[in-house]
Amino acid sequence: MSSGKPAVRLALLGCGTVGSEVVRLLHDQAEDLTARIGAPLELVGIAVRRLGRERGSLPVDPALFTTDALGLVKRDDVDVVIEVVGGIEPARSWLTEALRAGKSVVTANKALLAEDGATLHDAAAEGGADLYYEASVAGAIPLLRPLRESLHGDRVTRVTGIVNGTTNFILSSMDATGAGFGEALDEATELGYAEADPTADVEGFDAAAKAAILASLAFHTRVTAADVFREGMTGVTAADMASAKEMGCTIKLLCLAERGEDSSGQESVSVRVHPAMIPRSHPLASVGDAFNAVFVEAEAAGQLMFYGRGAGGTPTASAVLGDIVAAARNRLSGTRAPSESAYAHLPIRPIGEAVTRYHISLDVADRQGVLATVAGVFAQHEVSIATVRQSGRDEDATLVIVTHGAPDANLAATVEDLRELSIVRSIASVLRVEGSPA
Amino acid sequence: MSSGKPAVRLALLGCGTVGSEVVRLLHDQAEDLTARIGAPLELVGIAVRRLGRERGSLPVDPALFTTDALGLVKRDDVDVVIEVVGGIEPARSWLTEALRAGKSVVTANKALLAEDGATLHDAAAEGGADLYYEASVAGAIPLLRPLRESLHGDRVTRVTGIVNGTTNFILSSMDATGAGFGEALDEATELGYAEADPTADVEGFDAAAKAAILASLAFHTRVTAADVFREGMTGVTAADMASAKEMGCTIKLLCLAERGEDSSGQESVSVRVHPAMIPRSHPLASVGDAFNAVFVEAEAAGQLMFYGRGAGGTPTASAVLGDIVAAARNRLSGTRAPSESAYAHLPIRPIGEAVTRYHISLDVADRQGVLATVAGVFAQHEVSIATVRQSGRDEDATLVIVTHGAPDANLAATVEDLRELSIVRSIASVLRVEGSPA
């Protein structure tokens, strides 16, 4: 299928799991891609850390490989730079160089976008270049383009997502089998769902980067990873999960980005990552295994959900390819995608001011007046109690309390004061609660 | 927030449920829209059938209303025409006029796009104009933009959707309460989910139009409503639903668009709308009430699902506004959205050649050899049986048979032959089966 038009020339930075799949798809789908774009795509170079590794199975001329990434980016005959290396440097230098020179960039680099997206967006504006990063959040799920374009006539109020497959696999497994965190992590590692060092996943760093990217797009405000409150899920126990089940809930590691007003009416944004109990009837509760899903609430659109594979070489490559097609089309027609929209400049609300709900499980002495004393502590911090369940157990009893929404600082202070009470033997579990049944 | 740039001028055709919401959102979100677009939007005229109806609550100058839609479309000072009237004519004439004159069009008109999208796309190409129609399928759910752009580096193999809220409400209610179709329809009508004349919904015409639009985008092939096999859901009985439940399934009115090969290896597309049993563990099974959801399978991306409100003035207006923002941005930057992609020209496979599975429930005489006779009929038509359940009942018995995939014509012929057998007292139910558990 010859279109007659000159090829759009691509430079690929990185050829690991995702990069290899990009190469394979560019080859396998060449005819369709040419038809959809109106011109062929031509891979003119692939930057790798070391030459000579086994890449024999890739359908590509071995002469294309180079270790000089910056040299490749600077080549005059490159139109689109695709970065699937990850990390802050040297990726930032390469992409800034490309964008300033007017080259389109397609990247899957969530860490860089969350840490210093501003530098990339500014470079894109300076060079009049396209910056696409659909693959940086939720892999194959077309999520950023809808947020960046489809919902631009609406007002997004909240984004709630399961955006880390590793931790979702672990929590789904704890929910299904009653296993503890350690056991479920071992299973995930064996099955290849968790890396040898799972810190970035289980401590919520990966989800926090994605939360920053989603919040930036949803609220037209620059949000960085440093703005995101982050609490990992290593503290979630089998007992927590059992307690959640008793309440008709499950526990998920959520990323949340919410628009809200403080007491003075100032609009602000709360962005956070933490484990939370959600009702089993919430659409996110049934997202199992390593799947991702993002629930978006907007004033006019109502509730939307996007669901799919959040990781893996092939699904991520699908998102990269979609961006390559868009960037290539724009180059051919001499146009640009909508640039960064960050006009709203909403302030970030600290976690203490974020309105959350708590589920608190206490072991208390089974004596007259215990509930009154405990309830008094909540009242003192202006935290309203939604439900209490009390169950006796020899001379001790368990109190399970779920609060109404209150500033997180008040809830945290309530827990601290409860810890000081002599009638409280121990605080068995504290978990945030999110989501109404839908 | 003044951008200094001249306004993008909008003409609105239709001011019913959706149109009123478009007017309201344009007013309420004016500041944000201006910031996102880089210029203000200005509504310069609203065409209605009759003047003087109560529209007092709309935040708009009454002088903007006119009954001369064509005159409004032709005005030199109109940049973007928004059509929310519906129906084939006069909408087609208006939009063709607008597109040929280079005006951008945003429409929610599924009937027109499905019946004669070619005329609109051709007019858009002729005038170098944008044609956006996100609101035509699945209301607020950003679905067409992902299909039209995000998945363009991938190969979509199947689209399975619940795209009609009325019938989904009816079937969900039948599933929950055991009610029959008539009773559930009455409830839907009372609650405002079904129109006085529900034909377009319950007979699948609405879903078929949406199926044509989805198939066109997914397979880069012009598909019209006439290409879609359509079977309504009025024949689904309480007994069918009970039978589905026994099998761990529910019944949904599905729109399906599948890529496949015939026996000669020729690639083709099957597009159809019919009720079908799906396993309760399939993500579409839990889509309740009047919600819509579309499940997309692609070679690289894997399984994706999009979920949200498929109808209603406000959700539909959200989709229309998103398109208006995109069209306005393009006008300001002098660019165009990707135009129609219909290069693949895949042939449409007739329903008889579509590979489906059947669930057949038979009342038979409880005699030796009945199963052998019945099984012989399936074998004769080269239909392979997946499961048989036989349950005795006095001197009659019930046979419930689920087949493996086979050409629909063979399955239909099998049912016809079964009807002729003297040992078959009646065929209690025949339903197609779709979807593997996910």
Side-chain angles (χ1 to χ4, degrees):
Chain A
M1 199 171 305
S2 166
S3 65
K5 286 203 188 161
V8 176
R9 290 148 308 178
L10 315 177
L12 177 65
L13 312 181
C15 198
T17 318
V18 177
S20 310
E21 278 302 307
V22 169
V23 170
R24 196 184 58 78
L25 288 174
L26 283 172
H27 176 267
D28 291 358
Q29 312 263 19
E31 201 178 315
D32 278 319
L33 292 169
T34 303
R36 291 172 195 178
I37 293 166
L41 295 173
E42 184 189 347
L43 196 51
V44 299
I46 304 173
V48 292
R49 209 171 301 171
R50 273 184 301 277
L51 292 179
R53 289 178 62 183
E54 278 309 321
R55 296 195 179 87
S57 66
L58 284 182
V60 72
D61 180 355
L64 293 185
F65 289 98
T66 170
T67 55
D68 180 12
L70 190 60
L72 175 59
V73 165
K74 286 185 168 175
R75 270 171 57 172
D76 287 341
D77 64 346
V78 166
D79 299 308
V80 180
V81 173
I82 304 147
E83 185 262 319
V84 288
V85 172
I88 309 300
E89 284 294 350
R92 177 168 50 196
S93 307
W94 298 337
L95 299 189
T96 311
E97 169 72 32
L99 291 165
R100 287 203 184 119
K103 288 161 187 166
S104 310
V105 162
V106 173
T107 173
N109 194 329
K110 56 187 167 274
L112 174 54
L113 280 153
E115 167 117 358
D116 191 16
T119 294
L120 296 188
H121 286 297
D122 290 347
E126 196 182 316
D130 275 346
L131 171 60
Y132 282 105
Y133 47 101
E134 182 69 66
S136 67
V137 182
I141 311 175
L143 177 62
L144 303 197
R145 186 168 274 107
L147 277 176
R148 204 173 167 172
E149 303 182 32
S150 310
L151 288 165
H152 265 195
D154 206 333
R155 193 177 156 83
V156 176
T157 51
R158 187 189 283 119
V159 178
T160 314
I162 294 172
V163 294
N164 181 272
T166 304
T167 51
N168 200 54
F169 182 88
I170 294 171
L171 288 166
S172 300
S173 160
M174 289 172 69
D175 184 52
T177 67
F181 168 73
E183 195 185 330
L185 172 60
D186 288 347
E187 187 198 0
T189 312
E190 263 169 48
L191 294 173
Y193 286 116
E195 295 184 43
D197 177 359
T199 310
D201 294 318
V202 299
E203 295 298 350
F205 290 99
D206 174 81
K210 293 164 178 169
I213 296 170
L214 289 175
S216 301
L217 291 171
F219 302 124
H220 303 269
T221 289
R222 283 182 173 177
V223 178
T224 72
D227 297 321
V228 182
F229 170 78
R230 179 191 51 74
E231 188 182 300
M233 48 69 73
T234 56
V236 177
T237 64
D240 288 336
M241 190 60 89
S243 186
K245 280 179 135 167
E246 265 176 46
M247 311 261 306
C249 291
T250 187
I251 301 174
K252 294 291 188 188
L253 182 68
L254 297 182
C255 89
L256 289 126
E258 280 178 327
R259 188 194 285 270
E261 287 179 6
D262 65 17
S263 48
S264 69
Q266 163 71 52
E267 231 189 354
S268 60
V269 172
S270 164
V271 192
R272 48 194 209 270
V273 167
H274 55 69
M277 282 176 43
I278 55 170
R280 232 162 247 289
S281 53
H282 191 284
L284 289 176
S286 53
V287 175
D289 294 338
F291 275 91
N292 281 198
V294 176
F295 198 72
V296 177
E297 291 162 85
E299 281 182 7
Q303 304 179 325
L304 303 169
M305 193 168 82
F306 303 80
Y307 166 95
R309 291 194 184 276
T314 319
T316 307
S318 166
V320 169
L321 262 284
D323 281 352
I324 293 174
V325 169
R329 275 188 186 141
N330 289 347
R331 294 199 79 86
L332 285 171
S333 60
T335 66
R336 274 190 69 191
S339 52
E340 185 194 19
S341 175
Y343 69 91
H345 300 293
L346 295 178
I348 306 297
R349 205 164 353 151
I351 181 69
E353 294 173 25
V355 174
T356 60
R357 284 178 289 154
Y358 271 27
H359 165 277
I360 303 166
S361 178
L362 305 171
D363 289 332
V364 296
D366 193 3
R367 282 208 300 265
Q368 281 276 324
V370 165
L371 182 54
T373 309
V374 166
V377 174
F378 282 83
Q380 202 182 317
H381 292 284
E382 295 175 15
V383 173
S384 165
I385 291 175
T387 62
V388 179
R389 243 175 349 128
Q390 183 161 14
S391 53
R393 203 184 60 190
D394 296 337
E395 58 178 16
D396 289 344
T398 301
L399 274 186
V400 176
I401 297 166
V402 180
T403 72
H404 283 298
D408 198 88
N410 298 31
L411 289 160
T414 304
V415 172
E416 281 321 295
D417 283 3
L418 288 173
R419 228 181 270 285
E420 301 297 313
L421 288 183
S422 62
I423 50 164
V424 172
R425 312 270 161 118
S426 71
I427 297 186
S429 139
V430 178
L431 274 168
R432 293 187 182 83
V433 180
E434 297 287 342
S436 350
Chain B
M1 199 169 306
S2 165
S3 66
K5 285 203 189 160
V8 177
R9 289 148 309 180
L10 316 177
L12 178 63
L13 312 181
C15 199
T17 319
V18 177
S20 310
E21 279 301 307
V22 169
V23 170
R24 195 182 61 74
L25 288 174
L26 283 172
H27 176 267
D28 292 358
Q29 312 263 20
E31 200 177 317
D32 278 319
L33 292 169
T34 303
R36 292 172 194 177
I37 293 166
L41 295 174
E42 184 189 347
L43 196 51
V44 299
I46 304 173
V48 291
R49 208 171 303 171
R50 272 184 302 276
L51 292 178
R53 290 178 60 185
E54 279 310 319
R55 294 195 181 88
S57 67
L58 283 183
V60 73
D61 179 356
L64 293 185
F65 289 99
T66 171
T67 54
D68 180 12
L70 189 59
L72 176 58
V73 166
K74 286 184 167 175
R75 269 169 57 170
D76 287 340
D77 64 345
V78 165
D79 300 309
V80 181
V81 172
I82 305 148
E83 185 263 319
V84 288
V85 172
I88 309 300
E89 283 295 348
R92 178 169 50 197
S93 306
W94 298 336
L95 299 188
T96 311
E97 169 72 31
L99 291 164
R100 287 201 184 121
K103 289 163 188 166
S104 310
V105 162
V106 173
T107 174
N109 194 329
K110 57 187 168 272
L112 173 54
L113 279 153
E115 166 117 359
D116 191 16
T119 294
L120 296 188
H121 286 297
D122 290 347
E126 196 181 318
D130 275 346
L131 171 61
Y132 282 105
Y133 46 102
E134 182 68 67
S136 66
V137 182
I141 311 175
L143 178 63
L144 303 198
R145 187 169 273 106
L147 277 176
R148 205 173 165 174
E149 301 182 34
S150 309
L151 287 166
H152 265 195
D154 207 334
R155 193 177 156 85
V156 175
T157 51
R158 186 190 286 121
V159 178
T160 314
I162 295 172
V163 294
N164 181 273
T166 304
T167 49
N168 200 53
F169 181 89
I170 294 171
L171 288 167
S172 300
S173 160
M174 290 172 69
D175 182 55
T177 67
F181 168 73
E183 195 184 331
L185 172 61
D186 288 346
E187 186 198 0
T189 311
E190 263 169 49
L191 293 172
Y193 286 116
E195 295 184 43
D197 177 0
T199 309
D201 294 318
V202 300
E203 294 297 351
F205 290 100
D206 174 82
K210 293 164 178 170
I213 296 171
L214 290 175
S216 301
L217 291 172
F219 302 123
H220 304 269
T221 288
R222 284 183 172 175
V223 178
T224 71
D227 296 322
V228 182
F229 170 79
R230 181 191 49 75
E231 188 182 301
M233 47 69 73
T234 56
V236 177
T237 63
D240 288 335
M241 190 61 89
S243 184
K245 281 178 135 168
E246 264 176 47
M247 311 263 305
C249 291
T250 187
I251 301 173
K252 295 290 189 188
L253 182 68
L254 297 182
C255 90
L256 289 125
E258 280 177 327
R259 188 195 285 272
E261 287 178 6
D262 65 16
S263 49
S264 68
Q266 163 72 49
E267 230 189 355
S268 60
V269 172
S270 163
V271 192
R272 49 194 210 268
V273 167
H274 55 68
M277 283 177 42
I278 55 170
R280 235 164 243 290
S281 54
H282 190 284
L284 289 176
S286 53
V287 175
D289 293 339
F291 275 88
N292 280 197
V294 176
F295 198 73
V296 177
E297 291 161 87
E299 281 183 6
Q303 303 180 324
L304 302 169
M305 192 170 81
F306 303 80
Y307 167 95
R309 291 195 185 276
T314 320
T316 307
S318 166
V320 169
L321 261 285
D323 280 352
I324 293 174
V325 169
R329 275 185 186 143
N330 288 349
R331 293 199 80 84
L332 286 170
S333 60
T335 67
R336 274 190 70 191
S339 53
E340 186 195 18
S341 175
Y343 69 90
H345 301 292
L346 296 178
I348 306 296
R349 205 165 351 152
I351 182 67
E353 292 172 26
V355 174
T356 60
R357 285 178 288 153
Y358 271 27
H359 166 276
I360 303 165
S361 178
L362 303 172
D363 289 332
V364 295
D366 193 4
R367 280 206 302 265
Q368 283 274 325
V370 165
L371 183 53
T373 308
V374 166
V377 174
F378 283 83
Q380 200 183 319
H381 292 284
E382 294 174 18
V383 173
S384 165
I385 292 176
T387 63
V388 179
R389 245 174 349 127
Q390 182 160 13
S391 53
R393 203 183 61 192
D394 296 338
E395 59 178 15
D396 287 345
T398 301
L399 273 186
V400 176
I401 298 166
V402 180
T403 73
H404 283 297
D408 200 88
N410 296 33
L411 290 159
T414 304
V415 171
E416 281 320 295
D417 283 2
L418 288 173
R419 229 180 269 286
E420 302 297 312
L421 287 184
S422 62
I423 49 164
V424 172
R425 312 268 161 119
S426 70
I427 297 186
S429 142
V430 178
L431 274 168
R432 291 186 183 83
V433 180
E434 295 288 341
S436 352

